[in-house]
Amino acid sequence: MFNRRQFLKSSSLVALTPTVPAFLQQTASATEAEKHERILVVVQLSGGNDGLNTVVPFADEAYQKHRRVLRLPTDRLHKVAEGIGLHPAMENAAELFEDERLSIVQGVGYPNPNRSHDVSMAIWQTARFDREEHNGFGWIGRSLDTLPAPKRNAPSSVLIGNQATPVALRGRKSRSSAFDTIGDMLTDINLRPGPLPNGSASESDGDLSSFINRTTVDAYATADLLTDIVNQKKRESVSYPSSKLASQLRLVSQLIQADMGTRVYYAMQSGYDTHSVQLPSHSRLLRTLSQGLKAFLDDIAAAGLEDRVLVLCFSEFGRQVQENASNGTDHGTAGPVFVAGKSVKGGLLGQHPELETLTNNAPEHTTDFRSVYASVLQEWLRIENAQVSGDFEPLQLFS
């Protein structure tokens, strides 16, 4: 991966990689955004989350039959509907559900599911099934292409993390950036040798020196913006748990509260590929997710921004119904999607997958993921021309 440090040491390559902070490349063409614009936060659960032990159909005889070692005790589940409960580690998510700040879309997947991590994730991130399109533009990036550029030279989307920028954020015109911490970004910018050239280089338009000077100006402007964010007084009303995901969501909250102008933030939580000894690791992952999500939404609410922020949590597939011999589960198909925020309708949506009729030990999906995307794009981000394949009716996600 070509990172920011390498970029600043080899700035001639600035235009050649999608992982370069894109707002360093933007010019003053950005259009002022309105403060009331809505924001989407996507949390990717990488590895294939076991939806059956996340939103648990404890009353289903098939669950009892196929999950002998991994079956969760009924009396410890957080009941959300008749016969359905959340994993015991998801106490905070259960509180969000009780507050009608969490909608759970059951059985989300797509036809002819692919059980390869890379392929299935590419399908989710692009909303395309043709593999030739999987290295192109993502469903978020394509949609952001239709919107004006954010104010303050901010990127249209930001990945908080040190992973490669996901395909989901790639757009033809919209800009995406990636950084792990504000301090990391500032350190990299400060590595730029020497003062700002201030016109000392070539004045001719279009040559590489001029381009680098222009992007350097943007870099310093960005540094000022991020420094302001770092120096803002932190509120103490919400305590975040100690986890990587919580730190990422805290940074997202800081950037939103600083009115950075970015419309989509993206974070990843890895570790869901639980082929062996699943119970302890899966419990830890779901507790981390649940606690981080609750802290983030409470923080956003305390800042008076809860009407503007929506969180979408997804995984590339679920796990097989029957546990394997290593006390884990193998790659499956459909799984639950979480949509959280003040504006959601709350409750369970869709039907839980039928566990008696399986294909290769996995259930059929009951909701197409593109219906979820259509709802988020059209009814939340207010993008009429939803950039997903097919003609899908939006779900009734919002109150």
Side-chain angles (χ1 to χ4, degrees), residues 121-180:
M121 186 60 80
I123 290 172
W124 276 81
Q125 292 198 2
T126 62
R128 297 283 193 265
F129 291 86
D130 185 341
R131 294 197 184 193
E132 292 186 359
E133 297 185 84
H134 289 174
N135 291 320
F137 304 112
W139 71 280
I140 295 172
R142 295 195 307 269
S143 301
L144 292 176
D145 282 346
T146 68
L147 299 179
K151 60 184 179 179
R152 302 174 73 178
N153 257 1
S156 298
S157 61
V158 167
L159 166 71
I160 304 296
N162 53 17
Q163 302 93 340
T165 303
V167 176
L169 301 183
R170 291 184 192 163
R172 187 179 303 278
K173 297 187 301 181
S174 59
R175 303 297 186 181
S176 182
S177 181
F179 51 89
D180 200 23

Side-chain angles (χ1 to χ4, degrees), residues 182-183 186 223-235 254 258:
I182 290 179
L186 290 173
D224 289 342
L225 170 62
L226 296 179
T227 301
D228 288 344
I229 294 172
V230 169
N231 291 334
Q232 285 182 0
K233 183 179 180 180
K234 295 181 179 178
R235 293 176 299 98
Q254 287 180 297

Side-chain angles (χ1 to χ4, degrees), residues 1 22 92 101 106 182 189 201 232 277 295 311 350 367 393:
M1 174 181 174
N92 292 103
R101 288 192 286 166
Q106 305 179 98
I182 290 179
I189 289 174
Q232 285 182 0
V277 197
V311 181
T367 301
E393 288 294 324

